[in-house]
């Protein structure tokens, strides 16, 4: 069938098919027929139960059963390995806000968020995971922190400039 819509007769219980779930193409396993029509299925990438109301929602058969279960197993191993690395003393990355606090403490003078981001990257404390405007994100986080009043970590000294609460 490939990428086209399927017919009800093509759907087999226990079969694995591509389906569009929350605007993502995922592999689902058909578990049973639903009494109200359609099928009960399991999204194999999240292991959550989903209901497929019509065969038209399925986009064709996925891979064989052995091949379909293999990537799920591999993904779980990767996650477990990542967790074990952090638990065995792997350095945990600082959050943007914590790194900004360290930069402000060492600077000893008020800075704007662009200066903080540059200093955080230069000191190897933090780097943007790919965002285009990390200074705007930091600014927003600092404003949320300032809303805490006396419990805030930051103090606004003038427009766009901040320092650490002393």
């Amino acid at each position: 069938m490939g990428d086209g819509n399927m017919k009800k007769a093509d759907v087999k219980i226990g079969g694995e098919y591509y389906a569009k779930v929350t605007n993502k193409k995922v592999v689902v396993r058909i578990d049973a027929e639903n009494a109200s029509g359609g099928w009960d299925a399991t999204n194999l990438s999240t292991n959550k139960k989903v209901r497929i109301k019509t065969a038209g929602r399925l986009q064709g058969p996925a891979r064989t059963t052995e091949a379909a279960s293999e990537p799920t197993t591999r993904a779980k191993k990767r996650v477990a390995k990542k967790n074990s690395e952090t638990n065995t003393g792997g350095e945990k990355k600082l959050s943007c806000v914590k790194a900004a606090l360290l930069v402000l403490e060492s600077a000893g003078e008020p800075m704007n968020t662009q200066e903080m981001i540059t200093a955080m990257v230069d000191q190897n404390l933090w780097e943007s995971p790919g965002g285009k405007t990390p200074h705007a994100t930091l600014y927003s986080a600092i404003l949320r922190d300032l809303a805490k009043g006396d419990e805030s970590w930051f103090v606004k000294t003038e427009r766009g400039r901040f320092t650490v609460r002393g």
Side-chain angles (χ1 to χ4, degrees), residues 2-3 8 12 18 33 45 61 76 99 111 120 122 124:
D3 214 26
K8 187 174 181 179
K12 305 278 184 261
Y18 289 110
E33 233 175 283
S45 58
K76 285 181 184 172
M111 298 172 81
M120 287 159 32
D122 290 347
N124 219 10

Side-chain angles (χ1 to χ4, degrees), residues 147-166:
K148 295 178 186 174
D150 290 341
E151 295 181 19
S152 169
W153 293 327
F154 297 93
V155 177
K156 189 172 188 175
T157 57
E158 59 184 282
R159 184 171 179 239
R161 298 187 78 76
F162 305 94
T163 189
V164 183
R165 184 172 294 277

Side-chain angles (χ1 to χ4, degrees), residues 11-166:
V11 181
K12 305 278 184 261
I13 304 297
E16 295 180 359
Y17 303 92
Y18 289 110
K20 205 160 194 175
V21 177
T22 326
N23 285 335
K24 290 183 187 147
K25 188 174 182 180
V26 297
V27 178
V28 297
R29 181 185 58 240
I30 303 297
D31 298 326
E33 233 175 283
N34 189 296
S36 305
W39 300 270
D40 294 322
T42 302
N43 178 340
L44 294 180
S45 58
T46 62
N47 281 332
K48 289 190 177 177
K49 300 290 181 193
V50 293
R51 174 143 178 251
I52 305 295
K53 292 184 182 178
T54 65
R57 191 150 163 224
L58 298 172
Q59 299 177 344
R63 7 183 228 279
T64 61
T65 307
E66 296 93 47
S69 61
E70 194 178 305
T72 309
T73 309
R74 243 188 276 143
K76 285 181 184 172
K77 284 181 186 172
R78 249 187 264 130
V79 169
K81 183 178 175 189
K82 185 178 176 187
N83 288 342
S84 66
E85 283 175 4
T86 54
N87 293 342
T88 57
E91 248 183 69
K92 190 177 179 202
K93 289 185 176 180
L94 286 174
S95 73
C96 184
V97 172
K98 296 264 167 76
L101 285 168
L102 288 174
V103 164
L104 284 172
E105 283 174 358
S106 65
E109 63 180 21
M111 298 172 81
N112 68 32
T113 53
Q114 286 183 326
E115 294 166 343
M116 286 184 235
I117 294 289
T118 304
M120 287 159 32
V121 172
D122 290 347
Q123 295 175 27
N124 219 10
L125 294 173
W126 180 87
E127 71 179 42
S128 174
K132 293 181 181 173
T133 56
H135 60 279
T137 305
L138 177 58
Y139 188 86
S140 174
I142 291 173
L143 291 183
R144 282 194 306 273
D145 183 68
L146 287 171
K148 295 178 186 174
D150 290 341
E151 295 181 19
S152 169
W153 293 327
F154 297 93
V155 177
K156 189 172 188 175
T157 57
E158 59 184 282
R159 184 171 179 239
R161 298 187 78 76
F162 305 94
T163 189
V164 183
R165 184 172 294 277

